[in-house]
Amino acid sequence: MKKIFALALAACVGIAGAFAFDVGSIRGSWIDERYDAKWTFSANQIDLYIASTGQHVYTFTDDNIESFKVNMQATGASVSFRCPGARRYYTFTKPVELTADLDVNIDPDWTDLDYRTRFKYVEGTME
């Protein structure tokens, strides 16, 4: 029984790795339809725009974020960080599935109510 469990665990980790992404290779844009927001990931930063107008709202870089983490789990890969300027903690998760959409959790400092949604992939590459 232990051997079967160990093989199943190894298979799950392997499958998660096959669908995981490398932070440096994420290049593209995702839309948050509820808030008309376009999130654009590039090699060194994440930019936030108003989707309908293209107006730039915020840029996340190494200079204005802290607690940056990359996590690999059987359910997918995630990138998380805190931005003191925005007063929020962000987690972007690529689930183990065939779409390029991201599950997002935004945890504001001023409330216990998190914002959870799925960003729809609109353009770019995930190598």
Side-chain angles (χ1 to χ4, degrees):
M1 187 67 166
K2 288 181 183 179
K3 289 181 184 179
I4 292 172
F5 180 72
L7 287 172
L9 180 62
C12 288
V13 169
I15 290 169
F19 287 96
F21 56 82
D22 171 23
V23 176
S25 68
I26 301 173
R27 289 180 177 71
S29 296
W30 285 260
I31 297 290
D32 178 356
E33 295 172 346
R34 188 182 306 169
Y35 282 99
D36 188 31
K38 181 177 181 180
W39 292 76
T40 300
F41 289 70
S42 62
N44 298 317
Q45 65 189 43
I46 301 171
D47 288 294
L48 174 60
Y49 300 91
I50 297 172
S52 59
T53 66
Q55 179 183 353
H56 184 263
V57 177
Y58 203 85
T59 299
F60 300 92
T61 66
D62 286 341
D63 295 332
N64 64 4
I65 66 170
E66 59 190 27
S67 303
F68 183 84
K69 295 177 189 163
V70 177
N71 294 311
M72 298 295 299
Q73 300 174 349
T75 57
S78 66
V79 173
S80 60
F81 58 87
R82 185 177 185 295
C83 180
R87 297 179 48 217
R88 293 169 176 86
Y89 190 86
Y90 298 86
T91 304
F92 301 91
T93 303
K94 170 58 183 89
V96 179
E97 56 186 41
L98 296 178
T99 71
D101 297 342
L102 297 175
D103 289 335
V104 179
N105 184 63
I106 301 173
D107 179 8
D109 292 349
W110 61 90
T111 181
D112 290 334
L113 299 175
D114 292 0
Y115 175 62
R116 297 173 197 258
T117 192
R118 177 164 277 209
F119 287 179
K120 299 293 180 187
Y121 181 70
V122 292
E123 62 186 341
T125 61
M126 290 185 70
E127 302 167 350

